[in-house]
């Protein structure tokens, strides 16, 4: 659903070819809503069929430039103002935290420190984008910078949390919980009739 609206949003600023849209996705939206070339071109076909975009110009080698229609603009406006964002995404990395008690405290700490380093790398990448991007007055640039700030703040928070959690899993309470979980598992294997 959101790929449709991402394409409409990009076209709301200016007409673009599929190639141009892929460049925009890679430069601005890939950290929020990544898409492949086949997904973008497939979505353009669906949007054209639905009357939400139209082919505005033809260029060399079959190049098509797409523009958002009035119906497309109405759909984008409806989505922005009346449709609630979907719930929180599933987070495989955080789900694992619930079960770190089945590994040793050192393994749990290693996992969490890896997550901290991953968040730090993400923040460094976003910081590089912030420093090197050409932030002009166009819509995608202005609001893209606001979305980038979210990524910067979230990655900083994730790193800080993961480093804190890495210390927590070596606490006496966490060690005791892990030992209890492992002993219960071991006991259950020795006495399968229980």
């Amino acid at each position: 659903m959101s790929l449709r609206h991402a394409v409409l949003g990009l076209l709301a600023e200016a007409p673009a070819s599929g190639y141009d849209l892929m460049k925009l996705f890679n430069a601005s939206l890939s950290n929020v809503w990544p898409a492949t070339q086949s997904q973008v071109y497939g979505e353009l076909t669906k949007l054209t069929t639905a009357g939400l975009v139209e082919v505005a110009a033809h260029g060399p080698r079959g190049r098509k430039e797409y523009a958002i229609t009035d119906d497309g603009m109405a759909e984008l406006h409806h989505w922005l103002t009346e449709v609630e964002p979907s719930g929180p995404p599933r987070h495989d990395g955080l789900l694992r935290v619930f079960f770190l008690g089945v590994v040793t405290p050192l393994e749990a700490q290693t996992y969490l420190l890896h997550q901290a380093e991953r968040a730090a790398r993400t923040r460094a990448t976003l910081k590089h984008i912030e420093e090197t991007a050409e932030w002009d007055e166009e819509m995608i640039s202005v609001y893209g910078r606001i979305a980038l700030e979210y990524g910067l703040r979230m990655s900083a928070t994730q790193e800080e949390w993961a480093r804190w959690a890495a210390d927590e899993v070596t606490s006496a309470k966490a060690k005791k919980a892990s030992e209890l979980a492992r002993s219960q598992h071991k006991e259950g294997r020795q006495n399968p009739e229980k």
Side-chain angles (χ1 to χ4, degrees):
M1 184 87 168
S2 291
L3 177 59
R4 163 178 283 223
H5 296 100
V7 171
L8 288 172
L10 291 173
L11 291 174
E13 185 166 30
S17 67
Y19 176 79
D20 295 333
L21 288 172
M22 279 310 303
K23 284 185 6 186
L24 286 168
F25 260 96
N26 292 334
S28 61
L29 299 181
S30 63
N31 290 315
V32 177
W33 201 267
T36 64
Q37 182 176 347
S38 63
Q39 289 172 321
V40 169
Y41 280 94
E43 196 59 48
L44 283 169
T45 300
K46 291 175 192 174
L47 291 168
T48 303
T49 301
L52 301 177
V53 302
E54 62 189 4
V55 177
H58 291 275
R61 297 180 303 279
R63 182 181 191 274
K64 295 178 186 174
E65 189 171 80
Y66 296 86
I68 192 168
T69 64
D70 290 342
D71 287 346
M73 196 61 118
E75 169 61 23
L76 181 60
H77 185 268
H78 168 76
W79 178 72
L80 287 168
T81 60
E82 297 177 36
V83 177
E84 279 293 318
S86 60
R90 294 177 178 171
H91 194 304
D92 177 66
L94 196 52
L95 177 62
R96 293 169 194 236
V97 172
F98 279 94
F99 308 113
L100 286 178
V102 302
V103 299
T104 68
L106 179 59
E107 289 170 321
Q109 186 177 49
T110 300
Y111 170 77
L112 290 162
L113 289 173
H114 175 73
Q115 297 309 304
E117 291 166 9
R118 191 169 149 195
R121 285 191 306 273
T122 297
R123 182 167 167 71
T125 298
L126 295 175
K127 197 72 176 154
H128 177 74
I129 292 169
E130 178 186 44
E131 293 167 355
T132 59
E134 294 181 26
W135 302 106
D136 56 30
E137 303 300 317
E138 293 187 12
M139 179 189 74
I140 295 299
S141 188
V142 171
Y143 291 96
R145 174 61 188 87
I146 292 170
L148 179 71
E149 184 63 27
Y150 173 86
L152 288 166
R153 291 179 187 208
M154 286 301 293
S155 58
T157 299
Q158 289 168 342
E159 180 183 3
E160 179 186 345
W161 170 83
R163 292 192 188 287
W164 169 84
D167 288 339
E168 285 294 304
V169 298
T170 60
S171 71
K173 189 174 186 177
K175 286 179 183 178
K176 186 174 180 178
S178 291
E179 288 168 7
L180 179 62
R182 285 194 299 275
S183 69
Q184 286 174 336
H185 173 71
K186 190 175 185 178
E187 183 180 311
R189 289 182 62 195
Q190 291 173 349
N191 302 315
E193 65 277 350
K194 281 189 175 182

